[in-house]
Amino acid sequence: MSRAAIYRLLAVAVFLVAIFWFIPFLIDVTGRWNFYYTLTSVALLSVASAGVWLTFYIGRINIGQGAFALIGAYVSAILVTKAGISFWYSLPLAGLFAGLVAVLIGLPILRLKGVYFAMITLVLTEVVRLAALALPITNGAKGIVSIPLPSELSVFDITIIPDFSTIENPKLAFYYTACALMVICFAAMYRIVNSRLGQLCRSMQQNEELAASVGVNIAYLRVIVFAISSFLGGVGGAMFGAIAQSVYPSSFVVKDSIDFMLNCFLGGLGYVFGPMLGTLTLYFGWDLLFELGKYQLLVYSSVLILLILVLPNGLLSIRLNRFRRLRS
C-alpha cells in the first residue's frame, strides 16, 4: 500500500472517530445539547449539497436542490402519516421519488445549454412550493404535522435501529443517523468520481463535443447524474422532516437552493469533500456574524465574495497550494 493511501486511511479513521465519539463526548462534557441539532443540520445540508456538487461535476449549475429536498420531505411525511409505512422504508422511497421527478424534468431540459438549465432549475423550488400549497394530499399551507419519531428497524427479529421515541435523547440518535448518512453519501460520491462513470463525467466537463464524438451518450449521463443528485436532496429533505416532525411548503425555499450551491463553491468544486467543508463554514459563519445585527447580511456577503475572489477553487485548495509550495 502506498504512503498516500495510508495517509488517506488515517485521515478517514480520525474523521470517523471525531464525529462518532469525540464530538459527542465534548458535547456531553460541556452540556451544550443544542449542538447536536446544529451538527445534524450541517450533516444533512452537506448531503444535499453533495448532490449539487455532482451536477457541477458534469458542467451544469443546479439551483433547484431545494425543490427535491421539499419533495423528499413531503413524500416521507405522507408515507409515514397516511400510509403507515416505517420512516426507514420511506427514506429511500423519498429519494427514489425525487430521482424519478428529476428524470422526468431532466429528459427535456438537460439537452439545453448550461445557462438555460440553470435558469430552469432556479424556478423549480418555487414551483414545488406552489404545488405543495395547492395539492390536497400535502394539506396546503397547514403542512403535515405531528409526524411520529422514527420507529424501530429490525431484521430477522434483530433490532438494527431502536425506536427513537423510547430513546432518552433523540437528538443524539438523529445526530448519529445524519452522520452515518453523510459518511455513506460521501463514500459513494468518492467511489463514483473514481469510477468509469466519473471518468465519463470529467470528459463531459472538459469538452462535451469531443466526448460525444468518441461515443459518450451525453444526454443519458446528464440524466443519470441529475437523478443521483436529486436522490440525495430527497433523502436529506426526508430526514429534516423527521427531525422537525413536520413539513410545510416553506420548509425549503429558493434561498436554500442557493445556499446548497454556495456550499459547493466555498468548499471547492474540484474536491469531493468540498460540499462538506463549505456547508460547515457557511453554517457556522452565518451564526458567528449574528452579533453584527443589521450589518450581518452585508458582512456575510462581502466575506463570501472576497473568499471566492481570493480562493476561486475553494477552501480545500489552501491545502493543495501549501503542499505544492513545500514540494518546490
Side-chain angles (χ1 to χ4, degrees):
M1 185 179 293
S2 66
R3 182 177 298 180
I6 294 174
Y7 285 155
R8 282 197 295 268
L9 287 176
L10 286 175
V12 170
V14 170
F15 176 73
L16 293 177
V17 170
I19 63 174
F20 287 112
W21 178 79
F22 187 64
I23 290 176
F25 172 76
L26 284 181
I27 292 176
D28 288 341
V29 169
T30 58
R32 300 292 297 274
W33 309 108
N34 59 306
F35 270 105
Y36 278 130
Y37 177 78
T38 301
L39 294 175
T40 299
S41 299
V42 170
L44 295 178
L45 290 172
S46 68
V47 170
S49 299
V52 177
W53 181 90
L54 195 57
T55 54
F56 273 115
Y57 198 64
I58 61 169
R60 287 292 181 269
I61 299 174
N62 182 0
I63 323 176
Q65 189 73 320
F68 299 102
L70 191 58
I71 289 172
Y74 267 110
V75 169
S76 176
I78 291 169
L79 291 175
V80 171
T81 59
K82 300 186 179 182
I85 295 176
S86 168
F87 167 75
W88 303 111
Y89 295 121
S90 75
L91 189 63
L93 291 175
L96 289 172
F97 188 85
L100 176 61
V101 172
V103 170
L104 296 176
I105 294 174
L107 283 173
I109 69 172
L110 279 169
R111 299 179 183 276
L112 302 175
K113 294 291 186 180
V115 63
Y116 300 116
F117 173 75
M119 291 169 62
I120 292 174
T121 59
L122 181 60
V123 304
L124 281 181
T125 307
E126 191 65 14
V127 169
V128 173
R129 188 186 72 83
L130 293 175
L133 282 170
L135 294 175
I137 195 171
T138 58
N139 207 22
K142 296 179 181 179
I144 299 176
V145 297
S146 301
I147 301 174
L149 290 171
S151 58
E152 177 183 315
L153 176 65
S154 58
V155 178
F156 302 116
D157 295 327
I158 300 174
T159 300
I160 306 299
I161 302 175
D163 190 335
F164 278 28
S165 61
T166 63
I167 298 176
E168 183 180 354
N169 187 3
K171 289 184 180 179
L172 178 59
F174 275 119
Y175 168 79
Y176 279 130
T177 304
C179 287
L181 187 63
M182 179 181 68
V183 170
I184 294 171
C185 166
F186 280 93
M189 290 280 291
Y190 183 83
R191 184 68 190 93
I192 289 173
V193 167
N194 291 281
S195 67
R196 176 168 172 76
L197 177 62
Q199 294 173 355
L200 294 175
C201 290
R202 279 194 295 275
S203 69
M204 290 168 54
Q205 185 187 86
Q206 294 169 1
N207 192 318
E208 290 188 351
E209 288 76 13
L210 181 60
S213 68
V214 294
V216 177
N217 192 329
I218 301 296
Y220 176 73
L221 284 177
R222 286 176 188 164
V223 172
I224 288 179
V225 170
F226 191 43
I228 297 173
S229 165
S230 304
F231 174 87
L232 295 176
V235 169
M239 277 297 300
F240 267 114
I243 294 171
Q245 293 185 267
S246 60
V247 57
Y248 300 94
S250 59
S251 294
F252 293 95
V253 293
V254 175
K255 179 185 177 300
D256 296 304
S257 294
I258 295 174
D259 286 342
F260 291 140
M261 183 181 65
L262 288 176
N263 293 337
C264 301
F265 276 116
L266 188 58
L269 294 179
Y271 310 94
V272 177
F273 302 102
M276 189 189 300
L277 178 61
T279 303
L280 185 69
T281 305
L282 206 62
Y283 195 98
F284 281 100
W286 175 258
D287 287 345
L288 287 173
L289 295 174
F290 180 76
E291 298 297 330
L292 297 177
K294 63 181 181 180
Y295 300 107
Q296 182 186 20
L297 184 58
L298 176 62
V299 175
Y300 176 78
S301 304
S302 301
V303 170
L304 278 181
I305 293 171
L306 183 63
L307 283 174
I308 291 174
L309 290 175
V310 175
L311 297 170
N313 294 322
L315 294 172
L316 281 177
S317 64
I318 297 175
R319 178 183 60 84
L320 183 60
N321 291 337
R322 183 181 179 184
F323 176 73
R324 286 173 176 171
R325 284 197 297 270
L326 290 174
R327 288 187 62 183
S328 60

